[in-house]
Amino acid sequence: MRSVAWDPQQQRLLLIDQRLLPAEFRRVALSTYQEVADAIRHMVVRGAPAIGAAAAFGMALAAQQATGSRAAMLDFLHQAAQTLKAARPTAVNLAWAVDRVLQVAQATPGGPDDLRAAVLAEAQRIADEDVAINKRMAEIGAALINDGDTIIHHCNTGALATVDWGTALGVIRMAHEQGKRIHVLVDETRPRLQGARLTAWELAQYGIPYDIITDNAAGFFLSRGEVQKVFVGADRVAANGDVANKIGTYMLALAAHDNGVPFYPVVPSSTFDLSIAHGGLIPIEMRDPDEVLALQLKGRPVAPAGASARNPAFDVTPHRLITAIVTERGLIEPPFDRNIPRVLGTA
Ligand code: MRU
């Protein structure tokens, strides 16, 4: 199941509308980069690697929309890049993918048609690489899972959050395919409920046993010795190993640490931002308070009329709470500031 796919016949981008799942599985077709930016902003597509790949194809659509000379096309691509990168601030894969495509466009000789072909080919490469990287991380991460483990997972990091296969959920899926009997406790992940809606839906497809838990029940299960490992994804990792991920990850990491349970972010190299020294410098997206306030129970709003809310979409887990980071280049253990550049090959 490719969550982000190019339709070569009609030259458009196909996305699964993640706002409708699990009630309805529907693909949407996008023909302009502005539509792609809107889809990212409104979370039709979500998850760091998936929004990176979608934005790369958004650049391919921008190249189709551009008219005139090569110089005019490059100007147009720069403008599209700004719009796409501004759609969501925290996941660094978005800017990483857009800049990678832009660099290819600038470096490609020839006229507008050459640039169009090069931009599309690069977007397709980013998408294909994402799947291969996820499978490699899954093999490395699955080696950490034992037969009989119960695992807590936060947010959604599966095929839906990537081009295919997934990061943390990809590790869990690989362990299951290797025949390990595992059980997943799925954090429901307020306020957008990516865990209850999307991760549970994916686990059901793969036949992996799970229970949905409220986010605030994680500490209960950890403290009772019922959990052997925690696996999460990431939206940006700073040079010192601090990890920005879906809101609630920090509290989960604290509870795991207090109970001596290993905590593993699963992170492709494209999610590292070594220009950022520590997690306090990572931009954190503040989303519409209505995402918190719109919750209804039995058809009635939960919050009183006129209530206010604050809604940070991500938090930062300090590196001291992290056991190791799974990447496609290998497992990164502390000290992270030394081992991240060594394992990623940027030292
Ligand atoms: O706001 P979202 O749903 O885009 O946030 C996604 C996450 O936090 C995921 O856990 C993340 O992108 C990690 S890896 C696929």
Side-chain angles (χ1 to χ4, degrees):
M1 172 185 74
R2 284 226 169 182
S3 308
V4 178
W6 185 252
D7 171 2
Q9 268 82 43
Q10 308 218 38
Q11 299 284 296
R12 55 191 193 161
L13 176 62
L14 300 176
L15 300 174
I16 298 166
D17 190 339
Q18 301 193 27
R19 298 166 307 177
L20 306 179
L21 284 167
E24 189 184 340
F25 183 95
R26 191 196 299 167
R27 285 194 201 271
V28 290
L30 310 180
S31 306
T32 67
Y33 80 83
Q34 293 93 338
E35 287 172 353
V36 177
D38 273 350
I40 293 170
R41 203 172 298 119
H42 298 299
M43 294 172 72
V44 172
V45 60
R46 43 141 303 280
I51 63 177
F57 285 116
M59 292 293 284
L61 291 171
Q64 285 179 6
Q65 290 170 263
T67 52
S69 65
R70 173 194 166 88
M73 179 182 271
L74 283 172
D75 275 355
F76 193 79
L77 285 176
H78 271 104
Q79 192 187 309
Q82 288 313 316
T83 304
L84 286 162
K85 287 202 269 186
R88 291 191 75 188
T90 303
V92 75
N93 305 59
L94 181 54
W96 168 85
V98 168
D99 287 341
R100 189 169 143 178
V101 171
L102 203 52
Q103 275 161 21
V104 165
Q106 280 160 343
T108 301
D113 282 342
D114 301 301
L115 264 61
R116 271 186 203 104
V119 164
L120 177 57
E122 189 63 10
Q124 193 63 61
R125 235 185 323 272
I126 287 172
D128 293 343
E129 280 174 14
D130 185 63
V131 184
I133 284 169
N134 286 339
K135 291 206 172 143
R136 180 78 199 112
M137 290 195 299
E139 275 160 10
I140 293 168
L144 300 166
I145 295 178
N146 296 320
D147 189 35
D149 276 355
T150 292
I151 296 161
I152 293 188
H153 174 276
H154 192 67
C155 196
N156 172 266
T157 66
L160 291 166
T162 59
V163 175
D164 200 353
W165 194 266
T167 60
L169 205 60
V171 165
I172 289 168
R173 183 176 170 185
M174 182 64 82
H176 171 74
E177 291 201 356
Q178 290 171 349
K180 293 176 184 166
R181 285 160 301 171
I182 51 179
H183 191 89
V184 184
L185 294 178
V186 179
D187 270 1
E188 62 177 354
T189 316
R190 279 280 287 147
R192 298 281 299 216
L193 300 167
Q194 290 95 329
R197 295 190 305 108
L198 306 175
T199 300
W201 180 79
E202 281 199 44
L203 288 169
Q205 316 268 315
Y206 311 142
I208 301 174
Y210 69 88
D211 290 302
I212 296 172
I213 60 171
T214 58
D215 301 342
N216 39 9
F220 171 84
F221 291 106
L222 284 158
S223 70
R224 285 166 58 120
E226 291 191 30
V227 179
Q228 283 69 50
K229 270 128 213 161
V230 176
F231 281 92
V232 298
D235 289 80
R236 197 184 296 223
V237 180
N240 69 345
D242 291 351
V243 169
N245 191 50
K246 179 50 57 193
I247 192 75
T249 305
Y250 172 42
M251 290 207 310
L252 178 59
L254 280 170
H257 191 260
D258 194 45
N259 290 285
V261 174
F263 180 91
Y264 299 109
V266 182
V267 188
S269 52
S270 54
T271 305
F272 286 79
D273 183 354
L274 302 187
S275 74
I276 284 195
H278 62 84
L281 301 172
I282 296 174
I284 298 295
E285 177 180 12
M286 300 299 290
R287 291 189 66 87
D288 190 339
D290 198 48
E291 290 184 347
V292 176
L293 297 172
L295 184 72
Q296 298 199 347
L297 280 182
K298 301 194 190 310
R300 291 173 194 274
V302 168
S308 66
R310 297 178 71 182
N311 186 18
F314 300 94
D315 59 26
V316 174
T317 298
H319 60 87
R320 68 185 163 79
L321 302 177
I322 295 170
T323 310
I325 305 175
V326 179
T327 77
E328 79 275 20
R329 311 226 170 121
L331 198 64
I332 309 182
E333 293 180 313
F336 292 113
D337 54 348
R338 276 223 301 277
N339 287 338
I340 288 173
R342 188 181 58 72
V343 175
L344 295 187
T346 55

